[in-house]
Amino acid sequence: MATIQSEQTLTGSLEKEMARLSRRKFLGYAGAGAALTAFLVSCTKQNSDAGARGADGSVSLGSGDAGILNYAYALEQLEAAFYVKVLTTPYGNISALETAMLSDIRDHEIAHREFFKNALTALGAAIPVLEFDFTSIDFTSRTSVLGTSKAFEDLGVSAYNGAGHLIKSADYLVLAGKIVSVEARHASYIRDLISMNSFADDSIIDANGLDVSNPPSVVLPIAQKYIKTILDGSSLPV
């Protein structure tokens, strides 16, 4: 009995400490995003057909590096909108720790979204704010929410991994690398919430110890299920 009580006390202490350490002021993220934005905008501006409307109402992500940045921007818009919804209508019996950690993830995604939005707007190459369809998600269910979160985070990591080699600018590549590392932290946390120690199982890590990598042609159709705005990635580099 003493051992069980000791373990419960330790677990409670760890949860409190994790919650304390996990909380960050969003202004800190926004400040860092502003600094990164200023750096990105200082780079050479480029022309792109980003945002152009097709006959079917689709929105072009554009071409070149601007197109890849818009691709990332679209995914960050999706994730940010999802987590805002999660925290606005939290699922039943959500713990204080889960609320704190999911709030941090939400703030990260908003910071990423705003970073891409500000930088691409300054470049004159930003796609518009997208519309989303989350009707297939049961936000009252922990299983549904965490399952969707896992899918989004794994997809995001694979998308950055798959698009990295398409970026020509070394500066853009460095920034993308910094963002994907944060997305991977999100993915690990969510996976362990669902099933402990699944953060790096063989469904996402191969025999060489490398994470899954997917090109835009694979990622966009999956993301499109949740995005009302039709995205046209036909001009993206391959």
Side-chain angles (χ1 to χ4, degrees):
M1 178 66 70
T3 300
I4 294 175
Q5 290 178 336
S6 176
E7 289 178 350
Q8 290 175 337
T9 300
L10 176 59
T11 299
S13 298
L14 286 173
E15 287 187 350
K16 290 180 181 178
E17 183 64 10
M18 285 176 66
R20 183 184 71 80
L21 292 175
S22 74
R23 302 307 302 141
R24 300 288 187 271
K25 296 297 184 182
F26 176 64
L27 288 178
Y29 297 128
L36 288 172
T37 298
F39 171 76
L40 180 56
V41 172
S42 69
C43 298
T44 303
K45 293 188 176 182
Q46 54 187 299
N47 295 319
S48 173
D49 56 348
R53 291 278 182 175
D56 59 353
S58 61
V59 173
S60 173
L61 294 175
S63 57
D65 282 0
I68 294 299
L69 296 181
N70 268 317
Y71 169 56
Y73 176 37
L75 296 177
E76 297 295 351
Q77 285 194 55
L78 173 62
E79 290 184 305
F82 168 72
Y83 286 109
V84 166
K85 178 70 173 176
V86 169
L87 273 302
T88 300
T89 57
Y91 50 80
N93 297 318
I94 186 171
S95 70
L97 179 60
E98 289 178 359
T99 298
M101 298 298 282
L102 289 172
S103 294
D104 273 348
I105 294 177
R106 174 201 61 195
D107 292 349
H108 295 163
E109 303 298 4
I110 291 175
H112 294 167
R113 180 196 69 195
E114 293 304 296
F115 163 59
F116 282 116
K117 176 182 178 181
N118 293 334
L120 285 161
T121 298
L123 290 171
I127 59 172
V129 175
L130 304 177
E131 293 185 73
F132 303 100
D133 180 3
F134 295 135
T135 55
S136 62
I137 304 168
D138 180 0
F139 285 93
T140 68
S141 165
R142 182 179 188 271
T143 298
S144 177
V145 168
L146 294 185
T148 304
S149 176
K150 171 179 173 289
F152 282 172
E153 296 298 347
D154 284 350
L155 184 68
V157 172
S158 75
Y160 276 99
N161 288 341
H165 73 286
L166 301 175
I167 299 175
K168 292 183 178 180
S169 167
D171 293 323
Y172 295 169
L173 184 58
V174 169
L175 293 173
K178 290 182 177 180
I179 291 176
V180 71
S181 63
V182 176
E183 299 292 348
R185 293 172 190 265
H186 296 170
S188 296
Y189 173 68
I190 296 299
R191 282 174 149 270
D192 271 7
L193 271 185
I194 297 172
S195 177
M196 185 57 67
N197 295 326
S198 66
F199 68 96
D201 62 28
D202 58 12
S203 68
I204 53 169
I205 306 296
D206 66 22
N208 296 312
L210 301 179
D211 215 332
V212 169
S213 173
N214 283 314
S217 59
V218 171
V219 172
L220 284 175
I222 297 174
Q224 189 69 70
K225 174 183 176 182
Y226 304 95
I227 303 174
K228 290 183 180 179
T229 311
I230 301 174
L231 299 177
D232 175 10
S234 62
S235 295
L236 292 176
V238 295

